[in-house]
């Protein structure tokens, strides 16, 4: 009798799709604001984004369905679609393509074509000795050396180095037998004999949940081995802005076990306090039996040494499905009005 009553209630809830609890607070997509701040969506893709900060250039790189440059004020100033052949090089502001690179440090990024391709599959003639001679000289002349993630579909050409030499880019395919390689998909390739030369970008951190803005990768906090390699682990991230859950109501049953509700969704009201100002908003959250409430969101800030250069923080809302959002999924930049 009890189970049939529960099942009837659940069916009614799903068939009727009742509205969530009313609130005067806006949704994230409606740009919550205070006297001097506002949250503006800079990425509407629902998958977790990789967000890094460039201390050298004082801007952010957001890597998701697109690679976007966000300036120190929180404005999107450049965006390029990711693809099978176009991607951001790990912990850099360089976008690699088959024809050249985009340098997001430029005021107006554009494709900078390779001036030379060395040791590719069609021209692979270097012996171990000649590789060290030619690559060693190129490395010495290069102001920038960046190694790509290994391309496992390219076989012999899977390891690539990009060099900025005398004002132009050179693509150099690495001879596996000539150097000591260590490759990891999240970190890219490292070469013991020829360390990379570039200004590394830094992950942001959600201080409250102790996670990093690393998107779907294990660097987000799920892989202790990789996390131990991050220099960010030794950095201090003071709380600039604090996200607080004010209220949650169980409005709908989303999952049951043998007729008993075990997962609920409902409207959650939030407050983001920045200085002495408050931004209020509402979004759907999840509550599973014997688990903490999942707000589906993170509040990311830059490390301590750079918080005087930018006041921008990022609120990421990643719904687990289209049933746990009112259309607000994505990344929001906190801007001053």
């Amino acid at each position: 009798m009890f189970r049939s009553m529960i099942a009837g209630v659940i069916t009614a809830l799903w068939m009727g799709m009742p509205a969530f609890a009313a609130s005067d607070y806006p949704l994230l997509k409606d740009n919550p604001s205070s006297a001097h701040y506002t949250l503006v969506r800079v990425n509407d893709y629902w998958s977790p984004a990789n967000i890094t900060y460039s201390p050298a250039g004082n801007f952010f790189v957001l890597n998701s369905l697109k690679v976007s440059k966000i300036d120190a004020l929180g404005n999107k100033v450049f965006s390029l679609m990711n693809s099978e052949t176009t991607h951001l090089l790990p912990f850099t502001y360089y976008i690699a393509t088959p024809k050249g690179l985009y340098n997001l440090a430029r005021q107006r990024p554009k494709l900078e074509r390779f001036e030379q391709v060395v040791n590719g599959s069609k021209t692979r003639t270097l012996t171990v000795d000649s590789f060290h001679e030619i690559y060693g000289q190129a490395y010495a002349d290069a102001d920038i050396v960046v190694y790509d993630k290994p391309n496992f579909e390219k076989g012999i050409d899977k390891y690539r180095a990009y060099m900025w030499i005398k004002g132009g880019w050179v693509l150099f395919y690495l001879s596996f037998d000539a150097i000591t390689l260590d490759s990891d998909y999240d970190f890219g390739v490292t070469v013991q004999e020829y360390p990379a030369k570039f200004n590394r970008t830094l992950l942001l951190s959600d201080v409250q949940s102790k996670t990093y803005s690393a998107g779907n990768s294990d660097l987000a906090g799920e892989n202790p081995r990789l996390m131990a390699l991050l220099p960010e682990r030794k950095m201090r991230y003071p709380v600039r802005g604090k996200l607080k859950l004010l209220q949650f109501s169980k409005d709908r049953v989303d999952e049951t076990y043998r007729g008993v509700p075990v997962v609920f969704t409902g409207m959650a009201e939030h407050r983001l306090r920045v200085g002495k100002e408050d931004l209020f908003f509402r979004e759907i959250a999840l509550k599973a039996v014997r688990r903490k409430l999942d707000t589906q969101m993170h509040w990311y800030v830059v490390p301590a040494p750079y918080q005087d250069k930018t006041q921008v923080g990022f609120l990421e809302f990643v719904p687990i499905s289209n049933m746990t959002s009112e259309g607000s999924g994505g990344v929001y930049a906190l801007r001053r009005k």
Side-chain angles (χ1 to χ4, degrees), residues 43-153:
N43 176 51
D44 59 3
Y45 190 54
W46 286 19
S47 178
N50 177 281
I51 310 170
T52 59
Y53 170 72
S54 168
N58 193 25
F59 62 87
F60 300 89
V61 182
L62 194 158
N63 188 21
S64 182
L65 189 64
K66 299 178 180 179
V67 182
S68 301
K69 177 181 179 180
I70 314 294
D71 68 18
L73 300 177
N75 302 299
K76 185 189 293 187
V77 295
F78 177 83
S79 190
L80 184 68
M81 184 70 70
N82 266 313
S83 70
E84 293 182 358
T85 58
T86 300
H87 61 279
L88 182 70
L89 301 180
F91 293 100
T92 78
Y93 38 76
Y94 303 112
I95 304 174
T97 79
K99 296 182 179 180
L101 272 67
Y102 289 83
N103 182 351
L104 298 187
R106 310 287 192 212
Q107 186 174 0
R108 293 180 177 85
K110 63 180 181 179
L111 180 63
E112 300 173 0
R113 293 180 177 273
F114 298 125
E115 294 190 354
Q116 188 176 4
V117 177
V118 182
N119 208 34
S121 58
K122 296 181 180 180
T123 60
R124 188 177 297 277
T125 59
L126 299 183
T127 64
V128 171
D129 290 339
S130 62
F131 176 89
H132 280 294
E133 180 181 354
I134 296 174
Y135 190 82
Q137 185 59 57
Y139 180 86
D141 292 339
D143 296 313
I144 300 169
V145 179
V146 185
Y147 297 108
D148 204 343
K149 297 179 289 188
N151 188 338
F152 294 106
E153 296 181 358

Side-chain angles (χ1 to χ4, degrees), residues 39 60 204 299-301 310-315 332-335:
L39 284 166
F60 300 89
L204 282 61
W299 168 244
Y300 292 118
V301 297
T310 177
Q311 296 186 3
V312 174
F314 292 89
L315 183 68
Y332 295 76
L334 178 72
R335 298 180 189 166

Side-chain angles (χ1 to χ4, degrees), residues 233-258:
R233 290 294 298 271
K234 298 180 181 179
M235 295 180 178
R236 189 170 63 91
Y237 289 81
V239 176
R240 170 172 280 179
K242 187 173 183 180
L243 187 62
K244 183 177 181 179
L245 173 71
L246 300 178
Q247 182 176 320
F248 170 72
S249 58
K250 295 179 180 178
D251 299 322
R252 188 176 68 203
V253 176
D254 271 25
E255 292 184 25
T256 64
Y257 177 72
R258 294 183 178 179

Side-chain angles (χ1 to χ4, degrees), residues 146-319:
V146 185
Y147 297 108
D148 204 343
K149 297 179 289 188
N151 188 338
F152 294 106
E153 296 181 358
K154 291 294 184 181
I156 196 170
D157 287 342
K158 67 182 179 181
Y159 297 107
R160 292 152 291 168
Y162 304 99
M163 296 183 170
W164 181 257
I165 302 175
K166 298 178 181 179
W169 286 109
V170 175
L171 169 58
F172 212 119
Y173 288 96
L174 303 179
S175 293
F176 184 79
D177 295 334
I179 51 180
T180 307
L181 285 167
D182 183 21
S183 63
D184 186 284
Y185 189 82
D186 292 320
F187 286 103
V189 171
T190 58
V191 180
Q192 293 185 13
E193 295 87 349
Y194 304 101
K197 305 177 187 178
F198 67 93
N199 293 315
R200 186 184 184 277
T201 59
L202 301 173
L203 291 171
L204 282 61
S205 178
D206 180 337
V207 180
Q208 292 173 253
S209 65
K210 298 180 181 179
T211 57
Y212 294 91
S213 56
N216 281 317
S217 80
D218 288 336
L219 297 178
E222 301 298 326
N223 189 317
R225 181 188 69 82
L226 293 179
M227 290 295 295
L229 300 175
L230 284 178
E232 285 87 342
R233 290 294 298 271
K234 298 180 181 179
M235 295 180 178
R236 189 170 63 91
Y237 289 81
V239 176
R240 170 172 280 179
K242 187 173 183 180
L243 187 62
K244 183 177 181 179
L245 173 71
L246 300 178
Q247 182 176 320
F248 170 72
S249 58
K250 295 179 180 178
D251 299 322
R252 188 176 68 203
V253 176
D254 271 25
E255 292 184 25
T256 64
Y257 177 72
R258 294 183 178 179
V260 179
V262 293
V263 178
F264 303 87
T265 54
M267 194 59 68
E269 297 179 345
H270 304 270
R271 180 189 71 198
L272 178 62
R273 175 162 290 174
V274 183
K276 296 181 180 180
E277 297 188 24
D278 293 327
L279 293 84
F280 297 97
F281 58 91
R282 60 188 170 94
E283 286 297 341
I284 300 173
L286 298 90
K287 179 65 177 73
V289 175
R290 297 181 181 178
R291 292 193 177 185
K292 293 182 179 180
L293 183 74
D294 182 4
T295 63
Q296 310 179 103
M297 61 181 61
H298 290 284
W299 168 244
Y300 292 118
V301 297
V302 299
Y306 313 108
Q307 289 195 357
D308 60 342
K309 292 186 176 182
T310 177
Q311 296 186 3
V312 174
F314 292 89
L315 183 68
E316 183 176 49
F317 177 52
V318 183

Side-chain angles (χ1 to χ4, degrees), residues 23-37:
S23 171
D24 293 333
Y25 294 161
L27 296 167
L28 278 173
K29 66 181 181 181
D30 296 325
N31 306 122
S33 298
S34 63
H36 298 97
Y37 297 97

